[in-house]
Amino acid sequence: MGVKINLDGLLKVEKELNYIQSHRIKVGVLGDGTGEGGKSVQEYAMYVEYGTSTIPRRPFFRKEMVTARAKKEITDYMNNLIGNVCNGSLTGAQFWNSVGLYCKARVIKSIKNGGWAANATSTLKYKDGSQPLINTGTLVDSIDFEVI
C-alpha cells in the first residue's frame, strides 16, 4: 500500500506567487483630464509636486510613496497580505489589486490632508475653496493604479 500525496493546493499557491513575482503596479496620475489653469493634469501634478517659481512645493506623491517611512508601511502592508496568498484565500491578482488600492488611497489622503502651504491670495480669487491641491477634483480623480 502506497502513500498518496495531493499537491494541488501547493501548486495553486505556487502559481499565485509566480503571478505576484512577475507583475508590479504603477501608481500615479494616470488620468488624462485638464488640471488647474488649462494644463494637463500630469503637468499640473508635476508643478505642485516639485514646485515652481510661483507654486510652492507640495510633494503629495513622494510623501506617501517614496519616503523611507512610506516604503516601510507599503512593504509591511504587502507582507501582511502575502500570508493570505499562501493560505489560498487571496489570488495574486487580488494581492496586486489590494496593494494598488492601498497606495492610491495613501496618495489621495495626502492630497486632501497634507498640511500644505496655504494658497496665495491670487489663487484664492479664482478657486471655490481655500484647500491647496483641491479645486475641481481633477487631480484626486486622476490618481489611480494599474497592474503591469
Side-chain angles (χ1 to χ4, degrees), residues 24-136:
R24 301 287 179 264
I25 55 170
K26 178 168 66 170
V27 180
V29 181
L30 304 182
D32 59 1
T34 302
E36 305 297 324
K39 308 254 186 276
S40 76
V41 70
Q42 290 89 1
E43 187 175 1
Y44 172 73
M46 293 295 291
Y47 291 159
V48 296
E49 178 74 23
Y50 293 99
T52 69
S53 60
T54 58
I55 299 172
R57 181 179 63 87
R58 296 177 176 119
F60 67 91
F61 185 82
R62 289 177 292 162
K63 176 180 148 192
E64 293 303 324
M65 296 300 296
V66 180
T67 63
R69 175 197 55 83
K71 287 179 181 179
K72 181 186 181 325
E73 290 173 3
I74 294 166
T75 299
D76 289 347
Y77 182 82
M78 292 170 67
N79 287 337
N80 287 332
L81 280 183
I82 203 70
N84 294 327
V85 175
C86 292
N87 72 22
S89 65
L90 202 65
T91 67
Q94 290 168 327
F95 171 90
W96 280 124
N97 190 61
S98 183
V99 173
L101 289 169
Y102 174 73
C103 291
K104 176 182 174 177
R106 290 176 64 90
V107 175
I108 290 172
K109 182 179 177 185
S110 175
I111 291 170
K112 292 181 175 181
N113 305 321
W116 309 116
N119 285 319
T121 304
S122 58
T123 302
L124 294 174
K125 289 179 183 175
Y126 69 85
K127 274 188 83 163
D128 293 332
S130 62
Q131 188 174 359
L133 301 182
I134 307 245
N135 187 21
T136 63

